[in-house]
Amino acid sequence: QVPLLESGGGLVQAGGSLRLSCAASGRTFSNYAMDWFRQAPGKEREFVAGFSWSSATYYADSVKARFTISRDNAKNTMYLQMNSLKPEDTAVYYCAARKPGTTPRDENNYDYWGQGTQVTVSS
């Protein structure tokens, strides 16, 4: 069973919105902290948004006030609402799961990664 599965990517014009979903197995969702990353063409993968174990949220500076992370525990699903999209938001977006207490953003701490979903923002 694939622990993480992203969906919701697509092509959108600048200024538009998309909502990404990350569906997890029940075991993954309840035992792990989950975050969003992205990788633009020719660039390294970067952290986008995530939850602390206390469910506080945190964001990369580049997406603050535009992106919102949320989760539905009943559905074992995490979301990324992306508003006011810019061409520089174009990337493959990944969700990832790490054990509680581990440092976010450090990719070495993540046990599971989704396959990614493509987001393309046209100017």
Side-chain angles (χ1 to χ4, degrees):
Q1 184 179 5
V2 177
L4 301 174
L5 185 64
E6 303 97 335
S7 62
L11 173 64
V12 64
Q13 288 188 332
S17 298
L18 283 174
R19 189 177 79 157
L20 306 184
S21 299
C22 174
S25 68
R27 175 176 173 271
T28 304
F29 205 77
S30 61
N31 293 345
Y32 288 81
M34 294 176 62
D35 301 327
W36 287 99
F37 285 77
R38 68 184 180 186
Q39 186 167 22
K43 295 187 178 181
E44 293 188 352
R45 189 157 51 190
E46 64 176 358
F47 172 83
V48 175
F51 287 99
S52 71
W53 188 239
S54 63
S55 296
T57 56
Y58 44 93
Y59 300 90
D61 288 343
S62 59
V63 307
K64 279 180 182 176
R66 299 189 298 122
F67 291 10
T68 302
I69 190 172
S70 63
R71 57 194 293 163
D72 185 335
N73 292 333
K75 295 183 178 180
N76 294 333
T77 301
M78 178 175 68
Y79 303 98
L80 186 67
Q81 177 67 42
M82 305 186 296
N83 298 329
S84 302
L85 283 162
K86 304 175 181 180
E88 51 263 43
D89 293 318
T90 295
V92 177
Y93 284 71
Y94 300 89
C95 60
R98 58 181 170 83
K99 290 186 177 66
T102 55
T103 304
R105 297 182 171 88
D106 183 348
E107 293 192 26
N108 293 320
N109 290 333
Y110 291 85
D111 291 341
Y112 295 109
W113 292 85
Q115 86 291 347
T117 185
Q118 176 71 48
V119 171
T120 303
V121 184
S122 63
S123 57

